[in-house]
Amino acid sequence: MKIKREMKVIILIMSTIFSLSSIHASSVQTEIKCGWKFKQARLNNWYPATVPGVVHTDLINNGILDDPFFRLNERGAQWVDKEDWIYETKFDLDDETFNKENIDLYFKGLDTYADIYLNENKILETNNMFREWRIDVKNIIKQKDNHLRIYFHSPIKVDLPKWEALPFRYEAANDQSENGGLFDKKVSVFARKAGYHYGWDWGPRLVTSGIWRPVFVEAWDGLRIDNVHYIQRNVSSKNADIETVLEIIGDKEIVSAKVKITDEQSGKILASTVIDIHKGLNKVRVGFSMKNPELWWSNGLGEPHLYTFKASIEVNNTTIDRKSEKIGIRSVKLVRQPDKFGKSFYFELNGIPVFSKGANYIPCDIFLPRVTREIYKKTILDAVDANMNMLRVWGGGIYEDDYFYELCDKYGIMVWQDFMFACSLYPAEGELLENIKQEAIDNVKRLRNHPSIAIWCGNNECLDAWEIWGWKRNYTTKDPRIADKIWKQFYDQYFIVLPEVVKEYDPMASYTPSSPFTDIDGRRDHTDGDMHYWDTWQKGLPISTYNNEKSRYFSEYGFQSFPEWATVLSYAPEEKDWNITSEVMMSHQRGGSSANLIIEKCLTNEYGTPKDFQSFLYLSQLLQGDAMKIAMEAHRRDMGYCMGTLFWQHNDCWPVASWASRDYYGRWKAQHYFTREAFRDILVSPIANGEKLEIYAVSDRLKNTAGKLYISVLTLDGKVISEINKSLNISANASTMVYSETIDKLIKNIARKDVVIVAEFIDNNNRRYTNNYFLLNQKEINLPKANIISDVRVVDKGFEITLNCDKFARAVYLSVDGLDNFFGDNYFDLLPNKEKSIKVQSGLSLADFKKQLKIVSFTDAFQ
């Protein structure tokens, strides 16, 4: 018996050695992106297709569908989502790929209900846009002339029977089913698909299908590294303890494989171990510590340092597979602890309480494959350049592309990551709940190593809708049993399944069930939890009311505006469209007539009645900018009590009137320019409090800052009424009132309508922070007609404009024709006889630039 056992061991060892001789280094991945064609399933005509892509963009590229963004064309695109579509291509494999022991088809994203056939064999059915799909095709694939076919079922036809089968309805607040010809049949809640495709109050209804992320053939021998998780157990500036968990897929028994973790920059081996690989999934844990690590910091607090760690597996001194990732060493957590005000809500980064400055982010296009790396980079850099340190990836869009998070990692933008649920109730039980769980696992595993990920959030406003909007009451009134059923699904989804996924797959991460969220009872509490504040906008209140709202953390608030003239011309080029109530303008105002009425009411109350359509567009942007400036400054003045201000929203998915601070083309609205100033590392913020003027200095710096405060009270033609100079030592990471005085003493006998207050702080490194403040609504200010003189000279990549004016000029706006010009500053105030220079990126000639340059200010918008 002993001899037999020894013989078995020898045979096993020899078998392993023999098998290792056939293992080649590294997997081979090839994208299948050429030769694609598509057709309407019930018709015969084939057309060339672009992959990644979606049906709508392929129809547009083939001249079959008019641009849905232009005028009223969206209406003519509603037939597309009622059809099934077929995509197919043929491809060959090279020798290296074909001769591998394992060959997988790897789909990064299919939208949404799809049947996949390879060489006429059905290999896969998909039902979730947000998941990745991998299937072993070694026994089906050929070296030459492989036929890959993907049949996309209409998401409407798949989900309508589900809607019709139920005796009650799931709420879906923003599903524009009527625009899609579905009457009240809001089917979006049944599909694991981007909610905004079904319409939103800033977006069109264009329900897509297609191969929206790349498709790969991936071939490998012996084993492959499927995933590496770097768990940062303890992190400080002195030490970081990191546990690395590798998920390795093996197709055979392999003895004595060496696993290594290497710092690629230094070449230092951080950890290694020798293991035996078994067939199937292997989880390998290996830990290491780093002394005095360079930490990852958010924008404004320090360098977002990134290491490049490589996980590799060697067999007989041959590297079989490797996986490199950029890792930021940091500790980030949501701190919710009782304090003297109630309960805190802030993010702590590397032990430092951080005031969140940022915005809510939606997908950059309704047609996702059109979002290029250049668009992603501009979108993130525009956040960085506006001094943001956080973006909230909102739950009605998508779990973003890897490149989005890589940019956030690189530039120090923390990410509040919603799971993809927003403003709806979902039938989260049975197969759908399991699908949701797998979706969460896929995306938590994909994103968890990014240092930018600060928190996982269950949903956007779903709990708020249940408890505050009246959904619970409505269901309970009709049938308490249905209410109980929906609540159980809700509870299981957000309080059991999703937090358990986060706990298991990203154990160091924070999770909150909903936004806004105080407690499971759904109450709103200004002393506890995050807040979505919408009263000023929705009720059309004076924009000064933003000063009065208090909260521990503003995760959403906003004010709408129209895009600028050049953007409006891209979708409404005809003169008959140039009225905010025209059919075309209303089609690109998804907030409806009520949104227009709010803008008109507030604009008239704050400023007066504009003289024409272009002036209305300009003033709507100024109104949005002024409103958000008031809000952002109020939130920052409350620093310590309030620890975050994330406005709605950073971007648009098509050209539209919306709450965005940048339009679809990435053009900065007035608000984005104002945000850049309001979010600087030091804010000087004057505010009238009764009959006193108070000035606050708010600092995000981690050390005290010395400098000098200059306060000037000027008449609007430049006469100095009062001047105060004061040395300051501004407290670090805090808001401090640094000046208080009665208004009458400051303005003396001058009427409030005739003065502007200029507050400026200059630190010891000569960095200037300036803020202008009026004591009355601008409608009541006696602003003089401004005669602005300009001088233009050629500089690198464009021009420099130097401006001067003998009187105070409010909100000076510069423009030239076209969409591809960027002004370094805009919508700014010109102080009397104070020169200001602005650089402009433009490809125009000097003569054309001078001819096209338009300069207007506030008083030009009125008769």
Side-chain angles (χ1 to χ4, degrees):
M1 291 294 292
K2 182 178 179 183
I3 294 173
K4 287 184 178 180
R5 283 199 303 270
E6 289 176 347
M7 287 298 295
K8 285 181 179 180
V9 172
I10 292 170
I11 290 170
L12 176 62
I13 293 171
M14 292 301 293
S15 173
T16 302
I17 293 171
F18 178 77
S19 67
L20 294 183
S21 67
S22 64
I23 295 178
H24 302 286
S26 299
S27 60
V28 178
Q29 191 178 80
T30 305
E31 185 175 354
I32 306 174
K33 61 181 178 179
C34 298
W36 285 96
K37 59 182 180 179
F38 81 112
K39 78 180 185 77
Q40 205 167 332
R42 61 186 177 87
L43 301 179
N44 298 320
N45 292 340
W46 288 94
Y47 300 93
T50 301
V51 172
V54 293
V55 172
H56 291 75
T57 50
D58 284 327
L59 290 170
I60 293 167
N61 293 340
N62 283 280
I64 301 168
L65 189 69
D66 292 329
D67 179 4
F69 292 2
F70 185 72
R71 300 198 80 244
L72 303 172
N73 287 350
E74 178 201 354
R75 298 176 182 177
Q78 297 307 310
W79 63 274
V80 177
D81 61 48
K82 318 301 188 298
E83 297 288 338
D84 295 351
W85 300 90
I86 300 175
Y87 279 72
E88 64 177 46
T89 190
K90 292 187 175 181
F91 64 94
D92 300 333
L93 301 181
D94 59 27
D95 290 343
E96 181 183 11
T97 301
F98 186 70
N99 290 327
K100 292 285 187 182
E101 295 171 357
N102 302 276
I103 303 177
D104 298 339
L105 274 180
Y106 178 27
F107 301 90
K108 294 282 283 183
L110 296 171
D111 178 12
T112 292
Y113 298 112
D115 300 333
I116 298 94
Y117 299 83
L118 179 63
N119 299 328
E120 304 309 319
N121 296 280
K122 187 175 183 179
I123 60 172
L124 185 64
E125 292 182 12
T126 71
N127 58 359
N128 191 320
M129 175 182 177
F130 304 123
R131 290 176 62 182
E132 297 183 350
W133 309 89
R134 181 189 291 271
I135 186 76
D136 178 3
V137 294
K138 175 66 176 179
N139 295 329
I140 302 173
I141 206 159
K142 304 181 293 186
Q143 183 160 15
K144 300 292 182 183
D145 202 32
N146 288 287
H147 180 207
L148 179 60
R149 177 162 57 99
I150 305 178
Y151 188 107
F152 287 98
H153 297 272
S154 158
I156 305 305
K157 291 197 298 185
V158 169
D159 290 328
L160 263 177
K162 303 173 189 175
W163 186 92
E164 292 167 343
L166 286 173
F168 63 92
R169 305 295 169 228
Y170 285 93
E171 292 281 2
N174 284 284
D175 185 324
Q176 297 171 6
S177 54
E178 298 87 349
N179 290 346
L182 300 178
F183 302 100
D184 64 342
K185 299 176 181 179
K186 300 182 184 299
V187 300
S188 57
V189 296
F190 298 100
R192 290 313 302 140
K193 175 172 171 56
Y196 82 112
H197 284 164
Y198 295 83
W200 221 266
D201 55 4
W202 35 257
R205 184 193 182 278
L206 293 164
V207 183
T208 58
S209 293
I211 309 167
W212 76 289
R213 279 180 172 163
V215 182
F216 297 96
V217 175
E218 190 166 288
W220 49 283
D221 285 335
L223 60 83
R224 64 178 175 84
I225 300 174
D226 189 58
N227 189 271
V228 183
H229 185 196
Y230 295 91
I231 305 174
Q232 301 184 31
R233 295 288 184 190
N234 298 290
V235 172
S236 70
S237 59
K238 295 181 179 180
N239 185 73
D241 296 326
I242 299 174
E243 181 184 10
T244 308
V245 181
L246 293 85
E247 294 185 2
I248 302 166
I249 307 297
D251 72 350
K252 59 172 65 70
E253 302 290 322
I254 301 174
V255 176
S256 299
K258 186 174 185 179
V259 174
K260 292 194 302 185
I261 308 296
T262 307
D263 178 353
E264 284 199 337
Q265 285 124 320
S266 67
K268 180 181 178 181
I269 296 174
L270 301 171
S272 66
T273 189
V274 176
I275 60 164
D276 294 339
I277 300 293
H278 305 288
K279 190 172 183 178
L281 174 64
N282 299 258
K283 283 196 174 184
V284 180
R285 296 177 181 269
V286 56
F288 61 93
S289 296
M290 299 180 69
K291 299 297 182 186
N292 304 314
E294 294 188 65
L295 299 180
W296 185 92
W297 290 97
S298 60
N299 183 36
L301 291 187
E303 180 191 356
H305 183 83
L306 295 173
Y307 290 89
T308 302
F309 291 161
K310 179 178 70 176
S312 61
I313 304 178
E314 295 178 1
V315 178
N316 291 342
N317 296 318
T318 299
T319 299
I320 306 305
D321 203 3
R322 65 174 67 87
K323 193 176 185 69
S324 293
E325 295 183 68
K326 291 188 180 297
I327 303 295
I329 306 299
R330 91 289 184 260
S331 167
V332 60
K333 59 185 176 182
L334 175 65
V335 178
R336 296 199 63 194
Q337 295 293 333
D339 61 16
K340 63 182 179 180
F341 305 114
K343 196 173 185 181
S344 68
F345 193 108
Y346 67 87
F347 291 93
E348 183 184 273
L349 179 63
N350 302 326
I352 302 295
V354 177
F355 188 98
S356 303
K357 300 180 296 185
N360 288 258
Y361 167 91
I362 68 169
C364 291
D365 204 303
I366 196 73
F367 303 130
L368 290 159
R370 296 205 302 203
V371 185
T372 63
R373 290 171 74 89
E374 291 73 24
I375 290 172
Y376 274 124
K377 189 168 185 178
K378 176 173 171 46
T379 302
I380 300 304
L381 285 179
D382 281 354
V384 173
D385 292 343
N387 298 305
M388 298 185 194
N389 59 23
M390 178 173 275
L391 289 173
R392 176 173 173 246
V393 177
W394 165 78
I398 61 169
Y399 306 93
E400 265 298 344
D401 188 85
D402 293 338
Y403 188 56
F404 172 92
Y405 300 97
E406 290 167 11
L407 290 167
C408 291
D409 296 344
K410 181 177 180 180
Y411 293 107
I413 298 295
M414 294 185 291
V415 174
W416 172 313
Q417 179 65 55
D418 282 1
F419 287 98
M420 290 302 114
F421 306 95
C423 303
S424 301
L425 297 172
Y426 301 85
E429 62 182 11
E431 289 183 5
L432 181 59
L433 186 58
E434 180 60 27
N435 199 354
I436 287 167
K437 179 180 179 180
Q438 293 305 316
E439 164 194 320
I441 292 170
D442 275 10
N443 286 284
V444 170
K445 288 177 67 174
R446 178 170 69 92
L447 302 179
R448 61 191 175 185
N449 283 338
H450 289 282
S452 53
I453 296 290
I455 190 172
W456 295 94
C457 176
N459 67 69
N460 174 78
E461 296 186 346
C462 297
L463 183 60
D464 213 36
W466 179 252
E467 293 286 352
I468 305 296
W469 300 1
W471 292 0
K472 176 183 177 180
R473 180 179 63 251
N474 293 342
Y475 283 109
T476 303
T477 301
K478 292 175 182 176
D479 190 335
R481 292 170 302 176
I482 292 174
D484 290 344
K485 176 185 176 71
I486 291 174
W487 175 248
K488 183 181 187 309
Q489 293 172 350
F490 191 103
Y491 185 86
D492 288 348
Q493 182 176 356
Y494 302 117
F495 292 92
I496 296 178
V497 171
L498 292 179
E500 284 181 351
V501 168
V502 173
K503 183 178 180 180
E504 180 175 355
Y505 293 95
D506 195 6
M508 303 307 294
S510 297
Y511 172 83
T512 188
S514 188
S515 181
F517 183 75
T518 296
D519 209 335
I520 194 170
D521 58 10
R523 73 183 189 276
R524 292 178 180 172
D525 190 334
H526 296 269
T527 69
D528 180 358
D530 65 314
M531 179 67 66
H532 291 194
Y533 173 70
W534 284 104
D535 279 4
T536 297
W537 163 254
Q538 290 176 346
K539 296 179 180 179
L541 302 177
I543 60 177
S544 60
T545 55
Y546 281 113
N547 283 316
N548 307 326
E549 188 67 17
K550 308 294 181 184
S551 176
R552 307 310 302 268
Y553 194 103
F554 289 92
S555 49
E556 200 179 294
Y557 63 96
F559 204 95
Q560 212 190 73
S561 77
F562 289 87
E564 64 180 80
W565 175 239
T567 297
V568 169
L569 288 179
S570 73
Y571 64 84
E574 300 181 19
E575 189 172 351
K576 64 182 180 180
D577 301 333
W578 299 344
N579 184 301
I580 64 167
T581 60
S582 73
E583 196 169 9
V584 170
M585 290 298 292
M586 288 305 299
S587 179
H588 291 253
Q589 166 54 290
R590 297 320 256 260
S593 58
S594 60
N596 279 353
L597 289 173
I598 291 170
I599 294 174
E600 284 188 296
K601 172 189 172 183
C602 292
L603 193 153
T604 302
N605 289 343
E606 300 288 338
Y607 301 151
T609 303
K611 66 182 182 183
D612 56 27
F613 180 63
Q614 288 192 51
S615 297
F616 187 93
L617 299 180
Y618 156 73
L619 287 176
S620 82
Q621 289 212 19
L622 182 59
L623 177 67
Q624 179 194 37
D626 281 345
M628 293 294 91
K629 178 179 185 289
I630 290 170
M632 289 182 281
E633 290 193 21
H635 302 163
R636 291 194 70 189
R637 286 196 304 270
D638 280 348
M639 184 180 184
Y641 180 85
C642 175
M643 286 299 288
T645 178
L646 308 179
F647 64 78
W648 185 271
Q649 65 210 71
H650 184 53
N651 56 321
D652 277 327
C653 68
W654 75 318
V656 66
S658 82
W659 297 264
S661 65
R662 303 159 60 257
D663 71 21
Y664 171 71
Y665 298 102
R667 305 190 74 160
W668 289 22
K669 295 183 181 180
Q671 183 195 326
H672 209 75
Y673 288 102
F674 291 6
T675 298
R676 182 173 61 186
E677 296 303 307
F679 280 176
R680 292 183 71 188
D681 59 340
I682 289 179
L683 168 69
V684 180
S685 182
I687 181 72
N689 184 5
E691 289 304 307
K692 284 194 170 184
L693 177 76
E694 297 172 349
I695 297 179
Y696 287 77
V698 186
S699 175
D700 292 328
R701 297 183 184 181
L702 301 184
K703 293 182 179 179
N704 292 352
T705 301
K708 204 159 190 178
L709 176 67
Y710 298 87
I711 305 166
S712 302
V713 180
L714 307 176
T715 63
L716 298 172
D717 58 3
K719 182 181 176 183
V720 177
I721 304 303
S722 298
E723 278 188 317
I724 298 97
N725 304 333
K726 182 181 179 183
S727 295
L728 291 182
N729 189 24
I730 297 175
S731 298
N733 209 19
S735 171
T736 310
M737 187 198 299
V738 294
Y739 181 79
S740 178
E741 185 56 85
T742 60
I743 294 171
D744 285 345
K745 185 175 179 180
L746 285 170
I747 67 173
K748 299 179 180 176
N749 59 347
I750 306 297
R752 297 187 183 195
K753 66 179 181 179
D754 291 323
V755 300
V756 60
I757 296 170
V758 181
E760 183 175 50
F761 175 72
I762 305 176
D763 71 12
N764 285 350
N765 292 318
N766 207 35
R767 292 192 67 185
R768 295 172 176 266
Y769 303 83
T770 304
N771 208 342
N772 301 330
Y773 185 75
F774 293 108
L775 296 169
L776 300 171
N777 279 1
Q778 286 170 66
K779 186 176 183 178
E780 302 170 283
I781 300 297
N782 191 23
L783 287 166
K785 183 70 176 176
N787 180 29
I788 300 170
I789 299 170
S790 66
D791 179 66
V792 181
R793 69 184 186 92
V794 177
V795 295
D796 185 40
K797 297 182 181 179
F799 307 94
E800 183 177 70
I801 308 168
T802 301
L803 303 175
N804 211 324
C805 189
D806 60 347
K807 295 180 173 60
F808 184 90
R810 170 74 174 115
V812 177
Y813 170 58
L814 311 176
S815 65
V816 293
D817 295 341
L819 295 167
D820 59 345
N821 309 286
F822 177 76
F823 291 81
D825 200 2
N826 222 334
Y827 304 92
F828 51 82
D829 297 340
L830 267 183
L831 296 178
N833 303 311
K834 295 284 188 181
E835 198 172 81
K836 182 175 177 69
S837 295
I838 305 97
K839 289 185 178 178
V840 186
Q841 295 176 9
S842 177
L844 294 171
S845 68
L846 178 60
D848 286 342
F849 183 83
K850 285 184 174 181
K851 183 179 179 180
Q852 292 186 27
L853 178 63
K854 300 180 185 68
I855 304 173
V856 299
S857 66
F858 185 85
T859 54
D860 296 319
F862 305 94
Q863 292 289 359

